[in-house]
Amino acid sequence: MRRTTVIAALAAVGLTLSACGDDGESTSGDGNGNGGGEVEVFTWWAEGSEKAGLDALVEVFQEQHPDYEFVNGAVAGGAGSNAKNVLASRLQTNDPPETFQAHAGAELTDYIEANQVQDISNLYDENGWSDVFPEDLLELLTVDGAIYSVPSNIHRANVVWANPTVLEQAGIDPATPPASLDEWFTQLDAVQASGATALSIGTDWTQVHLLETVLLADLGPEAYIGLWDGSTDWASPEVEAALDDYAKLLEYTNTDRQNLDWPDATQQIIDGKAAYNVMGDWAEAAFQEQQQKFGTDYVAFPVPGTDGVFDFLADSFTLPVGDINTGGTEAWLDTIASPEGQKAFNLAKGSIPARTDVDASEYPEYQQTAIESFANDTIVPSLAHGAATPVAWLDAVTQAVSRFSANGNVDDLKSGLADAAANNLQQEG
Ligand code: GAL
């Protein structure tokens, strides 16, 4: 499938909901850093390498907008597992921060439909931002011609991180990654026989993350996209076979998975306790933070069966509706969009800049592979990170996946996921 076709499909996934938001008042704050006051920035980048990424951004913000005071509203929990609930209740009780993190795509559309974020097309016009971000990404931030957030970065979700020493101890050559799930199962068996954990994983959302990459590997990009627009049947033999593969993969994982967030699961690779971890490329930031050398201390490759596909997600920042320091929000968005802000943040975060005017040679080796893949590969939307479905559908998937982790009943998993799709597609339609 051609990249442009997939991008159109990807945009459609984000835009199938009927658009009705946007009666947020248009504001005229001063984005030039002259208004002053506090700017509460709400994210889930509360700890470790994620906080280091946020800190790098804040440093640029303070240089560019010294009159404003950054207030950290971060709520810990990978992928926003806690933050999104806290944010929802704050927005419901009219207590918005100056800006909050939202994923490009369907998740952002939720906030737009609920009239919780404002149209910032005027800022795009004033600052020429439409010229510096890729058109297909802008489409995911747009509803009915109005644009609602500024993207800070692009992450790739379908990446396996591996420890070469653990692989060698199991008789596996780290230089030749498995090309298919079947080849990977053979290697996972070998690692298990060597006594190490074959595949490290964490709590619910990291399992959803693994699940989406297995669906992608088995179904291919077109049918994977069809899962989110109703054109791929969740009860089909192909989807059921993919779910059987997911169930099999979970058998290779650490049994304490429910107690771990992603940094703990990725740390098992760094510590040589596990061979493989499937994680988005925020993991790269954790390897970098601990001075791990790409190619020697760790290797990375696309989830077997997904080579040539970039499972995409992007973080972006909003201008919420409500009583906020709008000038402060605009100052923050100005830093997010700036070349300096994007560079500082993405170098520290493992992601690649959303801006197109990037010098790839300024980025470490892994990120260069991601820049290359994003430019050339087929792009599909991430489920676990808000690009593919509204939050309600993702929550229903997460419940089914979490239940499976506890009861191991694959029929229950299959029917839970099919029900989640049926209920949510019905609501959209
Ligand atoms: C994603 C987010 C990333 C990273 C990751 C782990 O949803 O987009 O920036 O923070 O969660 O927490």
Side-chain angles (χ1 to χ4, degrees), residues 155-162 184 199 209-210 212-213 216 266 276-284 287 294 298-304 306 309-311 350 366 369-370 373:
H155 272 303
R156 186 178 194 186
N158 57 322
V159 186
V160 181
W161 309 87
W184 199 23
L199 180 61
H209 186 114
L210 176 67
E212 81 179 52
T213 65
L216 182 58
T266 302
Y276 301 108
N277 173 232
V278 173
M279 191 42 59
D281 51 15
W282 43 92
E284 166 68 6
F287 288 103
F294 183 70
Y298 69 105
V299 292
F301 53 87
V303 169
T306 71
V309 184
F310 189 105
D311 185 7
Y366 166 76
T369 72
S373 166

Side-chain angles (χ1 to χ4, degrees), residues 44-45 50 78-79 101 103 153 155 205 262 282 313 315 349 385:
W44 52 86
W45 299 328
E50 294 185 313
Q101 171 187 4
H103 287 122
N153 60 301
H155 272 303
W205 76 263
W262 80 264
W282 43 92
L313 62 125
D315 295 298
K349 188 67 168 52
H385 307 282

Side-chain angles (χ1 to χ4, degrees), residues 204 398-409 412-413 415-417:
D204 298 350
T398 306
Q399 276 169 27
V401 163
S402 177
R403 229 173 32 236
F404 177 70
S405 176
N407 68 14
N409 180 340
D412 181 44
L413 174 68
S415 59
L417 294 175

